[in-house]
Amino acid sequence: MEIETAFHHGAVADDAKPILEMRGIKKHFGNVIALAGVSFDIRPGECHCLLGDNGAGKSTFIKTMSGVHKPTEGEILFEDKPMNFSSPRDAMEAGIATVFQDLAMIPLMSVTRNFFMGREPTKGAGPFKRFDVARANEVCVEEMRNMGINLRGPDQAVGTLSGGERQTVAIARAVYFGAKVLILDEPTSALGVRQTSNVLATIDKVRKQGVGVVFISHNVRHAMAVGDRFTVLNRGKTLGTATRGEITPNELQDLMAGGQEMAQLEGSLGGTI
Amino acid sequence: MPADSTVTDERVREETLLARLMKRPELGAIAGLILVTIFFLFTANASMFTLSGIMNFLTPAAQLGILAIGASLLMIGGEFDLSIGSMVAFAGMIFGALVVNLGLPLIVAIPGTLIFAGMMGVVNGQLVIRTGLPSFIVTLAFLFILRGLSLVGLKYLTGGSTQLRGVRDAVGDDWLAPFFSGDAFTGLFAKLAEWGWIDTFKSGAPKVPGVPVEILWFIGIALFATWILLRTPAGNWIFAAGGDKNAASNSGVPVNRVKTTLFIVTACCAALVAIMTVIDAGSTDARRGFQKEFEAIIAAVIGGSLLTGGYGSAIGAFFGSIIFGMVVIGLTYTSIDQDWFQVFLGGMLLLAVIFNNVIRKRVTGER
Ligand SMILES: Nc1ncnc2c1ncn2[C@@H]1O[C@H](COP(=O)(O)OP(=O)(O)O)[C@@H](O)[C@H]1O
Ligand SMILES: [Mg+2]
């Protein structure tokens, strides 16, 4: 499979101020130490890739960014101010939108209702303020069309969509609401080749609009295609951040696997991973 | 489904009206209502479908329906409240105490009763949210606690009796009373009788003096709840909270606030029924609302609400309650032994659950 790698890079000045800065984030679940002090930042207009094997703590980490988990220890600075998100709603209101790995979609509800869940457009005022269903339907169909999916109707239940279509709805929703930071947790896992390059192109597009994108993947190819910086997580710790051009796909792959085994394995499989 | 999912605009028209209707949660209740009506048209005395006969079965339907609409909203939001029947007795006691023992006017006693009930709703909601226990268990506990408190409280208030009398004397000429008891549109009905449009007694007075106010509350609450569910952000939050509370919360829905509010609403529906029935009866007793929680949940399920939450309809619960009232009262118009009622009830519930399951699979595309 061939992924478009011709995206524009390097527009971000190295000294640009981060929008969101995470310092020494620790997260414990009872005895489990999911994050053992992770630092990370995201600047406007860049795509910062977060890589790591399953269980490395990637999802847990971005959940502290999007207000789902409160870090056990550590500091979050949003636009230079200490931030204490107490719910995903707080993070959203600050302009951080997330595509969660489980997508956070409700199968029994329509695509439109899912798309605007928690952020419904309204019309009217006071006690007559109501959900502007017509506009919501319009926006939803339009945004989905931009992502290359023609819905059977805006009232189609999400449960009837394929995995890839659901993922696309979740991405379209986050892109629509991600005013400052867009977090994508393995957004391409259920997508085919064409939709994957569609998503990568979308990341490139929103980055050009000045949004900071956090892109989680364990596919080095996808990360390399759009990433400006790369941070590798392993067993709840960062193995460091590299800038595009400083690191080769193979080195990244090795870091993700936490050592040399991968290179050997790849050698023996003839470079197909 | 066509293989190519990008050429899809023409698929919009493929869904027939019938297919669209099949996806409405209230479809089962409407179909059921038609069937039950046909059944009674054939078996019941013709007087069942006269104006007075209709009012006769709509009145109990309305009292149950107000509870059922609250219960259906809560079920769509993913929780149960088994304490609403006991809440009717508890709120009835509070209301009785406020108007009889404290002699308060309705303008104070009614909000007071609703606030008391609402606080119990908060307790239910917070316990469910904070303990993470199923609401089924938590509210089952309150089914007994509230019933017991009503008994103990009534004995305390009356000096030993489980019935508190004197409500009629206490509220008789209160200006708010007509909004919660008796009939509405009496002037209109008198005129209709005068013109000979409706049946009258020999004296010329109409046989049906007006529309019992609980029926108007019932219709009003059903319409309001439906509007909330389908046309406001809060409605979207209710569906989302019941559909998947993690997904909803991660998408920015204030799930705990939604659920607590729904527990409050359900409790207040019970309190409203208590206020209306207590004023009507002129007294309150500890057996008030006995087993109403089950009837309300059954009416909500007949109305298309899923036991698992996230799907259902307030207007469905409206029709479900009318089916209920029709069967309870309708059997007295037939030669059928009334004790068939319970058999019928269980049968309806089973049918409704099976039917809802099919609908859910259809909506979610499960096979
Ligand atoms: N809510 C939770 N409770 C307990 N342990 C958790 C919870 N969430 C994640 N973990 C643990 O934290 C570790 C990191 O998980 P996760 O962040 O999902 O990894 P990744 O997304 O990198 O695959 C895993 O060992 C997982 O079992
Ligand atoms: Mg993950």
Side-chain angles (χ1 to χ4, degrees):
Chain A
M1 120 171 160
E2 210 40 62
I3 296 293
E4 179 66 63
T5 55
F7 296 117
H8 175 73
H9 295 281
V12 194
D14 275 353
D15 53 354
K17 260 196 177 321
I19 327 177
L20 187 62
E21 202 177 344
M22 317 283 290
R23 289 188 190 150
I25 301 293
K26 292 188 184 169
K27 180 70 196 177
H28 301 177
F29 294 108
N31 293 332
V32 182
I33 301 174
L35 299 172
V38 178
S39 296
F40 182 92
D41 65 67
I42 176 77
R43 301 173 191 151
E46 79 164 345
C47 173
H48 193 156
C49 296
L50 190 58
L51 300 132
D53 233 339
N54 283 327
K58 305 180 297 296
S59 298
T60 307
F61 183 64
I62 61 103
K63 281 181 180 169
T64 63
M65 275 191 230
S66 51
V68 176
H69 293 319
K70 259 192 167 34
T72 312
E73 236 178 84
E75 221 185 344
I76 304 178
L77 298 174
F78 186 73
E79 294 178 327
D80 277 342
K81 286 185 283 286
M83 247 325 182
N84 207 344
F85 298 131
S86 60
S87 72
R89 200 172 175 80
D90 287 354
M92 271 166 200
E93 268 159 21
I96 301 173
T98 311
V99 177
F100 292 97
Q101 194 165 10
D102 63 8
L103 303 182
M105 295 279 223
I106 295 177
L108 280 164
M109 282 165 56
S110 72
V111 176
T112 300
R113 282 180 175 274
N114 268 285
F115 193 100
F116 288 98
M117 174 170 38
R119 286 159 293 190
E120 296 78 5
T122 56
K123 62 179 176 189
F128 300 107
K129 194 155 122 182
R130 57 203 185 275
F131 184 10
D132 191 347
V133 178
R135 196 166 82 80
N137 282 338
E138 216 172 277
V139 171
C140 176
V141 168
E142 178 62 29
E143 294 297 320
M144 290 306 291
R145 188 171 296 136
N146 287 344
M147 298 288 290
I149 291 194
N150 283 296
L151 292 174
R152 212 178 316 168
D155 58 351
Q156 188 177 356
V158 159
T160 63
L161 298 178
S162 73
E165 285 171 321
R166 274 184 222 198
Q167 211 157 47
T168 313
V169 178
I171 294 166
R173 170 174 75 174
V175 167
Y176 185 75
F177 289 106
K180 289 178 180 158
V181 176
L182 176 62
I183 302 169
L184 304 145
D185 192 350
E186 306 203 14
T188 51
S189 59
L191 298 186
V193 181
R194 203 181 62 194
Q195 258 158 6
T196 299
S197 36
N198 222 331
V199 169
L200 298 182
T202 306
I203 291 176
D204 189 45
K205 192 177 79 194
V206 301
R207 168 177 61 190
K208 286 204 179 95
Q209 292 160 0
V211 174
V213 181
V214 180
F215 177 36
I216 298 183
S217 178
H218 50 222
N219 186 320
V220 172
R221 253 176 217 281
H222 295 178
M224 275 298 187
V226 287
D228 297 304
R229 285 193 296 158
F230 307 89
T231 294
V232 179
L233 267 190
N234 192 347
R235 305 178 126 270
K237 292 196 182 100
T238 37
L239 294 179
T241 299
T243 309
R244 184 178 185 76
E246 282 178 6
I247 194 164
T248 67
N250 281 342
E251 285 167 342
L252 262 185
Q253 191 81 276
D254 289 347
L255 275 176
M256 273 173 67
Q260 291 301 308
E261 317 89 319
M262 202 63 189
Q264 288 156 13
L265 186 60
E266 188 161 11
S268 67
L269 292 175
T272 50
I273 304 178
Chain B
M1 224 208 293
D4 188 349
S5 65
T6 57
V7 201
T8 42
D9 265 355
E10 70 278 4
R11 283 197 298 184
V12 177
R13 254 158 274 123
E14 250 180 45
E15 216 173 29
T16 61
L17 182 66
L18 185 70
R20 293 178 76 87
L21 278 181
M22 280 299 286
K23 288 185 176 172
R24 299 297 317 157
E26 53 273 354
L27 174 84
I30 295 173
L33 184 61
I34 293 171
L35 283 179
V36 171
T37 307
I38 292 173
F39 174 79
F40 282 113
L41 279 175
F42 280 102
T43 58
N45 186 303
S47 64
M48 179 173 169
F49 291 100
T50 61
L51 191 57
S52 74
I54 291 172
M55 294 301 176
N56 231 351
F57 69 73
L58 278 185
T59 306
Q63 290 169 1
L64 173 65
I66 294 171
L67 298 177
I69 291 165
S72 74
L73 292 182
L74 186 62
M75 275 173 76
I76 297 171
E79 305 293 344
F80 278 104
D81 190 348
L82 291 181
S83 70
I84 45 180
S86 303
M87 177 57 83
V88 173
F90 182 76
M93 172 192 73
I94 299 286
F95 178 67
L98 293 180
V99 295
V100 177
N101 298 57
L102 297 181
L104 294 172
L106 290 184
I107 189 76
V108 181
I110 288 172
T113 307
L114 292 175
I115 289 170
F116 242 97
M119 282 183 337
M120 291 312 302
V122 173
V123 171
N124 267 331
Q126 289 301 308
L127 273 175
V128 167
I129 289 164
R130 282 166 201 258
T131 60
L133 291 170
S135 49
F136 181 85
I137 294 300
V138 172
T139 59
L140 182 62
F142 275 95
L143 180 154
F144 290 103
I145 293 172
L146 291 179
R147 183 70 66 190
L149 282 178
S150 308
L151 270 167
V152 175
L154 280 170
K155 281 197 242 173
Y156 171 79
L157 290 168
T158 59
S161 163
T162 58
Q163 192 181 36
L164 180 66
R165 296 166 191 275
V167 176
R168 184 157 302 138
D169 292 336
V171 304
D173 51 2
D174 196 295
W175 62 274
L176 257 180
F179 291 96
F180 294 91
S181 72
D183 299 304
F185 307 131
T186 45
L188 175 69
F189 275 61
K191 273 273 180 277
L192 290 176
E194 205 174 289
W195 297 332
W197 289 17
I198 55 175
D199 291 343
T200 57
F201 291 112
K202 285 215 178 64
S203 66
K207 277 187 180 165
V208 178
V211 183
V213 284
E214 49 261 70
I215 295 178
L216 298 180
W217 278 98
F218 175 43
I219 295 170
I221 290 173
L223 293 177
F224 184 63
T226 301
W227 182 74
I228 293 281
L229 272 180
L230 300 182
R231 283 293 175 269
T232 67
N236 212 29
W237 297 356
I238 294 172
F239 282 110
D244 180 340
K245 67 174 198 274
N246 272 330
S249 168
N250 285 352
S251 306
V253 175
V255 172
N256 291 350
R257 205 167 82 208
V258 169
K259 292 200 171 190
T260 307
T261 308
L262 289 175
F263 274 107
I264 296 174
V265 166
T266 313
C268 285
C269 285
L272 179 63
V273 170
I275 291 166
M276 291 195 293
T277 53
V278 167
I279 297 181
D280 259 345
S283 68
T284 186
D285 61 83
R287 269 188 68 83
R288 204 159 273 284
F290 185 64
Q291 287 195 347
K292 285 293 176 210
E293 57 283 336
F294 295 112
E295 295 182 6
I297 289 172
I298 292 171
V301 170
I302 291 173
S305 294
L306 287 183
L307 295 158
T308 44
Y311 192 74
S313 129
I315 213 76
F318 174 86
F319 289 119
S321 307
I322 295 180
I323 292 179
F324 222 101
M326 233 174 167
V327 175
V328 184
I329 304 296
L331 287 176
T332 64
Y333 287 88
T334 67
S335 50
I336 304 168
D337 184 341
Q338 272 185 64
D339 289 333
W340 280 101
F341 166 63
Q342 307 221 13
V343 177
F344 179 87
L345 193 60
M348 271 303 265
L349 177 63
L350 238 134
L351 260 179
V353 173
I354 293 168
F355 185 80
N356 289 348
N357 221 17
V358 173
I359 294 277
R360 194 203 67 220
K361 286 186 177 155
R362 191 178 280 270
V363 167
T364 58
E366 264 177 63
R367 267 164 270 272

